[in-house]
């Protein structure tokens, strides 16, 4: 239950300016995405409002929007709960992610330059350090940054827009398996950098496809590990 409190430092500060309802929405979405608010957790408007330092109205509006987008379930006479994703939902999302990112890897390999390679190597080193430090949040953030950079290097605005629509859900599914994927995930990232650096479009596609497939399988196997 939320009344037990969120982890220390989990409640984000609401940045100003901007519509309050939008800032509350973004704050709650970030808490859900990072699993500070866990799947199935009961969300009490008054408690959320108190922890975010706002009235209940913007919290209510944010929960309604999150319900529409599938992040929250509003149950009659029970209230709001963080959505618990089904295995089918995860599979569909991660399959789409594979298609988008495999194409991004191919395009990145086709037009890579020295600056792009340096950026990927820097992000990979950042992720490797997070794994060594057992910093799961840092590893998840670095993983998201790395994949976003590959998407940026692809240079396709439509592809990037589609990827942005699934990015937060990918983080949501990746967080529970980040420690399990650990070092191996970044070994695969190094393999991807090598293929992109070589301008090997076919190789980059294959590496990215295998990499995202490993994450998909790990997610489905997580409860048996």
């Amino acid at each position: 239950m939320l009344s037990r409190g969120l982890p220390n430092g989990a409640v984000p500060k609401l940045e100003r300016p901007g519509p309050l309802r939008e800032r509350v929405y973004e704050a709650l979405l970030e808490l859900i995405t990072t699993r500070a608010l866990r799947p199935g957790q009961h969300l009490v408007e008054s408690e959320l409002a108190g922890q975010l330092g706002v009235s209940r109205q913007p919290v209510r509006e944010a929960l309604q929007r999150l319900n529409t987008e599938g992040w929250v379930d509003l149950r009659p006479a029970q209230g709001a709960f963080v959505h618990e994703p089904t295995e089918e939902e995860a599979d569909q999302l991660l399959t789409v992610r594979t298609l988008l990112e495999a194409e991004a890897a191919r395009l990145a390999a086709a037009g890579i330059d020295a600056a792009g390679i340096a950026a990927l190597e820097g992000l990979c080193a950042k992720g490797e350090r997070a794994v060594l430090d057992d910093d799961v949040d840092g590893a998840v953030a670095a993983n998201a940054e790395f994949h976003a950079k590959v998407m940026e290097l692809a240079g396709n605005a439509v592809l990037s827009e589609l990827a942005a629509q699934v990015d937060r859900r990918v983080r949501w599914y990746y967080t529970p398996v980040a420690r399990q994927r650990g070092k191996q995930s970044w070994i695969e990232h190094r393999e991807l950098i090598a293929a992109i650096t070589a301008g090997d479009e076919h190789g980059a596609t294959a590496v990215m496809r295998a990499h995202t497939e490993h994450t998909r399988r790990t997610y489905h196997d997580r409860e048996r590990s």
Side-chain angles (χ1 to χ4, degrees):
M1 294 292 291
L2 185 63
S3 57
R4 292 181 299 185
L6 294 168
N8 289 335
V11 180
K13 293 183 179 180
L14 301 184
E15 300 295 335
R16 288 181 167 80
L20 185 59
R21 62 179 179 274
E22 183 69 23
R23 291 185 283 122
V24 171
Y25 163 82
E26 287 292 339
L28 292 178
L29 181 54
E30 183 66 14
L31 289 169
I32 292 171
T33 303
T34 59
R35 294 187 177 238
L37 293 173
R38 309 286 298 177
Q41 186 168 343
H42 186 203
L43 304 175
V44 181
E45 283 183 11
S46 60
E47 293 179 356
L48 287 170
Q51 291 186 320
L52 293 174
V54 298
S55 68
R56 293 177 61 174
Q57 182 61 31
V59 172
R60 183 177 300 113
E61 292 174 354
L63 291 176
Q64 290 171 346
R65 179 176 172 185
L66 291 166
N67 173 68
T68 299
E69 296 175 355
W71 293 100
V72 165
D73 297 326
L74 296 179
R75 304 174 189 171
Q78 296 184 54
F81 296 81
V82 178
H83 180 66
E84 296 185 72
T86 66
E87 294 296 300
E88 183 179 5
E89 288 172 353
D91 194 65
Q92 290 177 358
L93 188 283
L94 295 173
T95 297
V96 169
R97 179 220 186 184
T98 294
L99 295 172
L100 295 174
E101 299 215 15
E103 177 62 9
R106 184 189 72 80
L107 292 172
I112 194 63
D113 57 19
I117 294 168
L120 290 175
E121 290 179 340
L123 290 170
C124 197
K126 181 179 178 180
E128 290 165 342
R129 287 194 300 272
V131 170
L132 287 175
D133 294 339
D134 196 29
D135 177 5
V136 174
D137 290 341
V140 171
N143 182 73
E145 288 183 77
F146 182 89
H147 283 269
K149 176 55 69 172
V150 174
M151 192 63 62
E152 178 187 323
L153 294 173
N156 185 308
V158 175
L159 189 64
S160 294
E161 182 178 349
L162 292 172
Q165 293 178 28
V166 303
D167 175 66
R168 261 180 157 152
R169 289 191 186 275
V170 168
R171 287 175 57 197
W172 195 32
Y173 294 126
Y174 184 72
T175 297
V177 300
R179 181 174 280 114
Q180 186 176 349
R181 287 287 279 133
K183 184 178 179 180
Q184 180 58 36
S185 179
W186 296 95
I187 290 173
E188 294 163 11
H189 285 157
R190 287 289 179 187
E191 293 172 352
L192 179 64
I193 292 173
I196 290 175
T197 300
D200 182 355
E201 297 179 40
H202 177 75
T205 301
V207 171
M208 181 65 93
R209 188 177 296 279
H211 171 68
T212 53
E213 176 63 16
H214 289 162
T215 297
R216 188 184 71 83
R217 288 204 308 266
T218 302
Y219 180 84
H220 288 305
D221 293 343
R222 69 196 184 285
E223 294 181 352
R224 296 193 292 272
S225 60

